[in-house]
Amino acid sequence: MKMRSAWRALIVASLCATAASPVIAAAERGVADPARWPAIASPAADPAVEARIDALIAAMSLEQKVGQIVQGDIGSTTPEDVATYHLGSVLNGGSSSPGGDEFGAAAAWVAAADAYYEASMRPNGTLPRIPVMWGSDAVHGHNNIVGATLFPHNIGLGAARNPALMERIGQVTAIEMRVTGLDWTFAPTIAVARDDRWGRTYESFGEDPAIATSYAAALVHGIQGRRGDADWLKGPHIIATAKHFLADGGTAGGRDRGDAQIDEAELIRLHAPAYVAALNADVQSVMASFSGWNGAKMHGNSSLLTGVLKQRWGFDGLVVGDWDGHARVPGCSPTDCPASIAAGLDLYMGPASWKGLYASTLAAARSGTLPMPRLDDAVRRILRVKLRAGLFEAGKPSARPYAGRFELLGAPDHRAVARQAVRESLVLLKNNGVLPLKAGARILVAGDGADNVAKQSGGWTLTWQGTGTKPEHFPGATSIFAGVRDAAAGNGGTAELSVDGRYTVKPDAAIVVFGEDPYAEFQGDRADLYFDDTRGNLDTMKRLKAAGIPVVAVFLSGRPLWVNRHINAADAFVAAWLPGSEGGGVADLLFGKADFTGKLPFSWPADAKGAPLNVGDADYRPLYPFGFGLALADRKPALPLSEDPGIMVEQPVTGPIFARGRATGTRLLQIDGANDSPQAISGAADNGAIAVRPVDRDAQEDAREIAWSGKVRGTLIVANPRAADLSGAGPLALTLDLRVDRAPPGPAMLELRCGPGCTARLDIGPRLAALAGRGWQTLSIPLACLPDARLESVTAAFALSSSAPMRFTLSSIALTPIKETSCR
């Protein structure tokens, strides 16, 4: 009884952590009322399975139980670790792979799967043997594997409005995962994105929950099969995951890992229906979201994880965390968070923190801080999924159906499904009559996306961000140019590739393929929806148009963006989203082999401001509405569009970047912490790593006091909404006007961020320490003192990161021209 009382007390504590006042409505502090949510009739448990679970739990040691609820990343977890710590599962994160080779052979994955499995089954006295599971983000096909079929990202699939096709996509993905020995995908993502500035918008099927709701069951059935069938979760099927629970697409400002600030009715209306559909299809895993609801982080929200998901909806599968997501729960850290398990999480995802997490969880279980009934329930859920999936009888991964049949990776029939998905995903926004392209035509194909499978595939492609790849990493894939070349030849014509649009013989028509470069998660968060055409594609289009050449624009993007200038410069404009490996599907439509049937899954913006724009809004003024999409027969001249983006695009290169208590121009003052995404702030803010508050220097709130807690790494950032070129401004220095109130006892790293994979760093901790206690001072640091800084593409000229406690008051930061450089 004491243990049960302790369990209840811990759950109550996790609820109270989000409470502000009894006067405030529960929903306003992130506490749901399960009775308001739709009910689900969940299937009855299998008595034989439950009896096996009872016997296993009775025979398990406490260490085994704790190990089952901890998941490590293969980049930080060896097979020996699985054996020693009884780990129940492993994962490969977006940039993890066997042997650290992101482009390694598929056979290496099978061998690694065998090694982890054999470690989990190694005899250990009288303890029962429990097979390990391996989870992977197969979000648009088995996208971690060289040569696998890459489907369009969800945003494109949302344009197709075809649930039957989704089921086939799920089937193909499951089979290709089975080939490499894996048994669990962290998909489908059934987020409903409501702010297109979110960096994961392309992982959403659309702004209307009806699309994700219509797809959820089809995808789960494709991946898992159907309950009652002999191959449910077995044979060609694997375990699916509905993610990210809940409202990951509804955060304020479109901030990844942010906070959904909506009432409970809106939470239910927009973000619950797809989960109801997934649970009705018997999805076996649900992933908790990094994000929060009205201030309560999902990894610690017992009213949703337990009250709604498990009790109201009767979900009896497992709830898995996201990448150290438990660390954002109040009072928790990456290595210690019993409150998250108390709230209803069953399986920590502790990629590199797993060992400390294991130790603290074991200690909490021994002391009763983590009550045994809750631990046993979490273990029961994990074992239930493993038993249903037949893992206890399946043998090592290489001996399971489809394993090692590498000819199935990117098999012709699989690619045919992906090509169909591409055809159905494209949305035709404009056609002045140039489409379909005529048989026998001479076609010029231009743009930096024309012959670029990586760009057309986007993030979560071989690497987390989809960057750092080469053409040889996509065997069997077809770029858009290659697809156009083959289609033109099949129609008696020709196609020539010229990225900059130059030609020697005038073509009959030109196709310009351009768009966003790959990104994933918070690295894709934006301040606005202005398309940054840094590759000169608009100039290419205008030059071709001026020469009397009809121009077809094929726009690659993970969200709608303001591209009015490009639409005006084109005779036809195609929103191609991120089509994946089968560029031939694009050519099919351009040449009229099939018609355009895709409809916008998101409203297309009339300006670049980025304010949420969703069908049903009271003031709904899109450029193209949700559901818009032309067919080839819809040929009519389009009126010129306004080329005023509605925002400031250019801003001075030099001068203040922070003044009078705020970032200048369109820049953003941001803070972030360990395992968090940058949070734009305007007033007081505290994310546990950094606390910022307005203070007075010469005028009211004209400065900011910034305090690092020292608990976790924190960073203060002045970010550009788009990359700035400082290379032509001559020698520059960052000049800070500040008062150091508490010197850092350790490093304080000044950073200049210059695009993906580019960060120049300099430890200015000693300089700050030298200014401590001396009142207001000016600190000037030449940019030339930051090694390896690339000034052509600066996304943040100032970022200061530290894991040590420190405090200073900041009045201004400026980029100032200098004559001499001294790095002393």
Side-chain angles (χ1 to χ4, degrees):
M1 292 299 293
K2 290 182 179 179
M3 296 296 286
R4 293 186 183 275
S5 298
W7 184 11
R8 285 194 293 269
L10 193 54
I11 291 179
V12 169
S14 72
L15 281 173
C16 291
T18 66
S21 163
V23 178
I24 300 174
E28 293 179 355
R29 59 180 190 268
V31 179
D33 177 5
R36 298 184 62 185
W37 293 64
I40 297 178
S42 54
D46 182 339
V49 170
E50 299 306 306
R52 287 188 66 183
I53 295 172
D54 290 339
L56 284 166
I57 289 178
M60 291 171 69
S61 67
L62 180 60
E63 290 79 4
Q64 263 192 308
K65 292 178 180 180
V66 170
Q68 284 297 303
I69 71 169
V70 175
Q71 182 183 73
D73 184 85
I74 63 169
S76 306
T77 311
T78 66
E80 191 61 33
D81 290 330
V82 167
T84 301
Y85 295 92
H86 314 283
L87 299 183
S89 62
V90 295
L91 81 148
N92 63 281
S95 294
S96 297
S97 52
D101 184 359
E102 293 174 318
F103 313 116
W109 291 74
V110 179
D114 274 355
Y116 285 108
Y117 171 83
E118 288 167 350
S120 70
M121 302 303 285
R122 187 185 306 166
N124 187 343
T126 60
L127 295 177
R129 297 297 81 204
I130 301 172
V132 71
M133 293 189 297
W134 183 333
S136 185
D137 288 287
V139 295
H140 66 128
H142 195 9
N143 43 262
N144 293 288
I145 303 297
V146 170
T149 307
L150 298 175
F151 293 95
H153 271 292
N154 286 359
I155 189 170
L157 299 181
R161 309 292 210 277
N162 187 343
L165 177 60
M166 299 308 109
E167 182 164 355
R168 184 70 183 116
I169 288 171
Q171 291 168 348
V172 170
T173 301
I175 287 172
E176 295 201 9
M177 288 191 72
R178 282 291 191 194
V179 168
T180 59
L182 275 59
D183 43 36
W184 182 13
T185 178
F186 299 140
T189 301
I190 50 177
V192 178
R194 302 289 289 178
D195 189 320
D196 300 347
R197 293 171 292 184
W198 186 36
R200 305 188 80 156
T201 295
Y202 66 80
E203 295 187 58
S204 172
F205 293 114
E207 69 192 40
D208 188 328
I211 305 177
T213 303
S214 71
Y215 280 4
L219 282 159
V220 170
H221 284 148
I223 294 167
Q224 292 191 165
R226 285 170 166 77
R227 185 191 287 262
D229 291 350
D231 63 358
W232 184 52
L233 303 171
K234 306 176 184 70
H237 299 298
I238 59 173
I239 302 161
T241 305
K243 69 179 189 182
H244 305 85
F245 186 82
L246 185 67
D248 51 339
T251 60
R255 179 188 168 227
D256 191 39
R257 310 183 186 186
D259 193 53
Q261 297 168 6
I262 56 179
D263 62 31
E264 189 168 7
E266 195 82 342
L267 184 70
I268 296 170
R269 182 180 71 85
L270 293 174
H271 302 288
Y275 284 91
V276 172
L279 266 61
N280 281 332
D282 299 305
V283 71
Q284 290 298 289
S285 174
V286 171
M287 182 178 289
S289 180
F290 268 120
S291 60
W293 174 48
N294 290 339
K297 284 294 186 181
M298 289 295 166
H299 277 68
N301 194 320
S302 67
S303 70
L304 288 169
L305 295 181
T306 298
V308 172
L309 180 59
K310 293 182 175 181
Q311 294 176 350
R312 179 66 171 172
W313 287 348
F315 176 62
D316 66 358
L318 68 89
V319 178
V320 61
D322 206 345
W323 195 271
D324 275 341
H326 56 272
R328 304 313 301 165
V329 175
C332 291
S333 71
T335 57
D336 188 4
C337 192
S340 194
I341 298 295
L345 194 75
D346 300 311
L347 178 57
Y348 293 113
M349 185 184 289
S353 61
W354 66 267
K355 191 174 289 187
L357 195 58
Y358 173 89
S360 67
T361 305
L362 182 60
R366 284 173 172 161
S367 68
T369 303
L370 175 59
M372 195 59 64
R374 173 75 270 263
L375 176 59
D376 282 351
D377 177 64
V379 173
R380 174 176 293 275
R381 291 169 175 273
I382 294 166
L383 295 178
R384 184 181 290 131
V385 172
K386 291 183 176 184
L387 285 165
R388 286 172 173 170
L391 297 185
F392 283 80
E393 295 78 35
K396 63 182 181 180
S398 63
R400 299 173 191 171
Y402 300 95
R405 294 179 57 184
F406 303 122
E407 72 279 3
L408 294 177
L409 294 173
D413 59 327
H414 293 182
R415 293 190 183 277
V417 176
R419 186 164 179 160
Q420 177 189 348
V422 174
R423 287 195 299 267
E424 297 187 18
S425 71
L426 305 186
V427 179
L428 182 60
L429 298 181
K430 176 182 179 180
N431 185 18
N432 286 350
V434 65
L435 294 180
L437 297 170
K438 296 177 181 178
R442 179 188 296 273
I443 307 297
L444 178 72
V445 186
D448 65 291
D451 197 30
N452 192 334
V453 175
K455 190 179 181 89
Q456 73 190 42
S457 298
W460 294 107
T461 301
L462 299 184
T463 66
W464 174 37
Q465 294 295 315
T467 56
T469 60
K470 299 178 181 178
E472 57 264 31
H473 297 141
F474 300 97
T478 304
S479 70
I480 292 173
F481 164 69
V484 169
R485 179 193 61 205
D486 295 346
N491 278 341
T494 61
E496 175 187 357
L497 176 66
S498 173
V499 172
D500 63 3
R502 305 290 177 179
Y503 55 85
T504 54
V505 179
K506 185 176 179 179
D508 297 311
I511 301 169
V512 182
V513 188
F514 64 102
E516 290 188 290
D517 290 328
Y519 56 83
E521 298 193 55
F522 58 86
Q523 295 202 23
D525 284 359
R526 296 180 58 106
D528 55 52
L529 294 179
Y530 182 90
F531 172 60
D532 302 300
D533 189 354
T534 60
R535 309 291 173 81
N537 292 291
L538 180 61
D539 293 339
T540 297
M541 293 168 65
K542 288 181 174 180
R543 187 176 67 250
L544 292 166
K545 190 80 175 288
I549 301 168
V551 174
V552 178
V554 176
F555 186 52
L556 303 172
S557 72
R559 61 192 129 205
L561 291 169
W562 187 83
V563 285
N564 286 21
R565 299 173 302 162
H566 299 78
I567 295 173
N568 284 341
D571 295 284
F573 194 95
V574 178
W577 315 113
L578 300 170
S581 60
E582 305 312 304
V586 177
D588 290 341
L589 271 60
L590 299 183
F591 284 89
K593 186 176 180 180
D595 202 353
F596 286 87
T597 58
K599 304 298 180 184
L600 284 180
F602 289 91
S603 304
W604 203 278
D607 59 47
K609 296 175 183 176
L613 177 68
N614 298 294
V615 64
D617 288 351
D619 187 22
Y620 183 63
R621 298 180 183 179
L623 180 63
Y624 301 110
F626 173 86
F628 179 85
L630 302 174
L632 286 170
D634 299 321
R635 301 183 180 188
K636 56 182 179 181
L639 296 175
L641 303 175
S642 168
E643 297 195 359
D644 178 8
I647 63 169
M648 178 193 299
V649 176
E650 302 293 337
Q651 53 192 352
V653 171
T654 60
I657 64 173
F658 174 86
R660 295 184 294 278
R662 57 184 52 84
T664 62
T666 58
R667 298 178 181 91
L668 299 173
L669 182 65
Q670 300 175 327
I671 58 174
D672 75 2
N675 196 41
D676 206 355
S677 61
Q679 170 189 352
I681 61 172
S682 56
D686 187 345
N687 67 356
I690 297 181
V692 179
R693 68 182 185 94
V695 295
D696 302 343
R697 183 189 181 188
D698 299 319
Q700 184 176 359
E701 296 188 358
D702 65 342
R704 291 289 184 269
E705 181 189 82
I706 303 104
W708 277 255
S709 68
K711 297 177 182 178
V712 293
R713 177 196 56 77
T715 308
L716 177 73
I717 310 162
V718 179
N720 297 323
R722 56 193 47 82
D725 185 357
L726 306 184
S727 61
L732 296 173
L734 272 170
T735 302
L736 285 68
D737 195 6
L738 78 169
R739 184 185 68 213
V740 179
D741 305 307
R742 180 182 180 183
M749 302 304 296
L750 176 67
E751 300 177 354
L752 184 145
R753 299 181 177 181
C754 37
C758 177
T759 302
R761 295 181 175 88
L762 177 69
D763 182 9
I764 63 169
R767 302 184 193 208
L768 294 173
L771 300 178
R774 296 174 57 187
W776 287 100
Q777 298 288 325
T778 298
L779 176 61
S780 183
I781 302 156
L783 298 188
C785 299
L786 280 77
D788 303 320
R790 294 202 306 261
L791 300 183
E792 297 82 5
S793 185
V794 176
T795 55
F798 173 88
L800 186 61
S801 180
S802 181
S803 298
M806 66 174 174
R807 185 177 74 253
F808 61 73
T809 304
L810 184 63
S811 178
S812 68
I813 308 172
L815 283 166
T816 55
I818 55 175
K819 294 182 179 180
E820 297 181 357
T821 296
S822 173
C823 296
R824 291 180 298 174

